[in-house]
Amino acid sequence: MNIGFVGLGIMGSPMAANLLKAGHVVTGYDVSAERVEQLAGLGGKGASSVVEAVGGADVVITMLPDSPQVEEVAPLVIEYGKPNLLYIDMSTIKPETSRRVAEQAAAAGVRALDAPVSGGERGAVDGTLSIMVGGAAEDVEAARPILESLGTTMVHVGPAGAGQTVKAANQLVVGGIYGLVAEAIVLLEASGVDPVAGLDVLAGGLAGSRILELKRHTMVKREFAPGFRIDLHHKDMGIAVAAAREAGVSLPLTGQVAQLVAAARAQGHGSLDHSALLKVIERLNA
Ligand code: NAD
């Protein structure tokens, strides 16, 4: 297939590379010319604008930082895309933005899906992302072969915007677990208990989680190279809080976690991994 890809960053770049490996023709655009050159070096085609990346594509994928960038790019995809184009936005953005994009797309005869991902840079490189898809069932089926080149878990979770709502739920759970693991480390250390031994036990019991499995050692060693940056998690907690407001529900723990992530950012840790929530809990106790 001819695939137009807009947003060749930490995630988009390896995803585009996996589409090339799967035998697709990928025409990519990013505001960073360096990113576009990288794609060309892998055998893709470099475009000098969104319009150039979209023209002639059977499928367009966007992997952009946040809602404002999708609001800027999506109208161009919709206007310059072929009739019946399949447009898959894989960025993590507000559910309401995805719903609005889907409505605008439908009015122009473009089939739009929101398909945010979980699994980080590693998952993007290995093609093992978990993909949560919102949109019409027949469009999800049409996208399946492409999404299967990018991930190992792909679930149709509901209509337009539902993928983003599931991603917001994912991010509030991840943030909450990081916060509690950080509190466990602070408690163990303050009580004179070896945190490595303590967390090994937690990881094997009911408190066990992927975060404890993958991150407990680096957290105890205070290694916070990203990974997933605090800045992006701050954006995602904002999306979760806004989604809760829109749904008319109270999520008190989500509110607390959002404030802890905001504190991490305010303390200058925005470019560190989100496990650096530990620094905030430590600071509360120092
Ligand atoms: P990134 O900042 O590395 O990449 C975004 C890319 O979009 C950049 O290269 C930027 O130059 C480009 N861009 C910005 N505005 C543009 C525009 N108007 N036109 C064309 N290109 C534009 O971010 P990322 O880590 O790749 O994340 C992308 C999305 O995926 C975010 O929504 C993020 O929350 C989500 N996500 C990231 C991870 C992760 O571990 N990094 C994991 C899951 C989901």
Side-chain angles (χ1 to χ4, degrees):
M1 288 218 187
N2 280 316
I3 301 178
F5 205 115
V6 182
L8 301 165
I10 292 178
M11 298 294 284
S13 195
M15 289 163 71
N18 281 330
L19 292 169
L20 285 169
K21 273 187 220 147
H24 301 290
V25 176
V26 181
T27 307
Y29 173 69
D30 193 291
V31 285
S32 151
E34 201 181 308
R35 292 294 197 174
V36 177
E37 275 163 31
Q38 254 174 30
L39 178 75
L42 294 171
K45 293 187 183 171
S48 56
S49 67
V50 174
V51 174
E52 192 185 331
V54 166
D58 306 304
V59 176
V60 169
I61 296 177
T62 49
M63 192 51 163
L64 295 160
D66 198 356
S67 296
Q69 291 80 26
V70 173
E71 277 160 3
E72 187 186 321
V73 171
L76 297 171
V77 175
I78 294 168
E79 186 176 347
Y80 293 96
K82 294 212 277 221
N84 209 31
L85 172 77
L86 188 57
Y87 169 32
I88 312 170
D89 175 41
M90 305 192 74
S91 328
T92 301
I93 61 168
K94 287 187 247 165
E96 66 179 271
T97 307
S98 292
R99 282 195 292 272
R100 215 169 31 244
V101 166
E103 276 166 25
Q104 289 161 357
V110 168
R111 301 173 289 159
L113 297 173
D114 49 296
V117 305
S118 172
E121 186 181 6
R122 187 75 262 150
V125 171
D126 295 344
T128 56
L129 293 168
S130 202
I131 310 175
M132 35 224 123
V133 195
E138 60 274 24
D139 300 340
V140 176
E141 280 319 300
R144 187 176 288 279
I146 288 162
L147 295 178
E148 281 175 350
S149 311
L150 304 174
T152 38
T153 303
M154 180 226 164
V155 182
H156 180 205
V157 291
Q164 298 297 352
T165 305
V166 173
K167 176 69 184 180
N170 184 79
Q171 293 306 79
L172 72 87
V173 171
V174 168
I177 293 173
Y178 271 122
L180 287 170
V181 171
E183 291 187 9
I185 291 172
V186 167
L187 172 67
L188 291 168
E189 290 178 349
S191 311
V193 176
D194 175 13
V196 174
L199 292 186
D200 280 351
V201 181
L202 263 65
L206 186 59
S209 68
R210 283 286 279 167
I211 287 173
L212 269 178
E213 188 187 320
L214 297 175
K215 295 286 199 155
R216 66 184 191 277
H217 296 299
T218 50
M219 283 179 80
V220 169
K221 284 192 253 169
R222 273 65 173 174
E223 290 172 5
F224 300 123
F228 188 73
R229 284 179 292 118
I230 287 279
D231 279 341
L232 283 176
H233 212 129
H234 178 67
K235 171 204 49 137
D236 292 352
M237 292 312 296
I239 292 171
V241 169
R245 175 177 274 257
E246 209 194 324
V249 294
S250 161
L251 304 181
L253 294 176
T254 298
Q256 291 268 14
V257 174
Q259 292 306 311
L260 290 172
V261 176
R265 197 160 181 258
Q267 288 171 15
H269 307 316
S271 58
L272 298 184
D273 187 69
H274 48 175
S275 53
L277 269 189
L278 176 54
K279 281 175 159 291
V280 177
I281 307 296
E282 279 185 306
R283 179 122 167 225
L284 289 173
N285 293 284

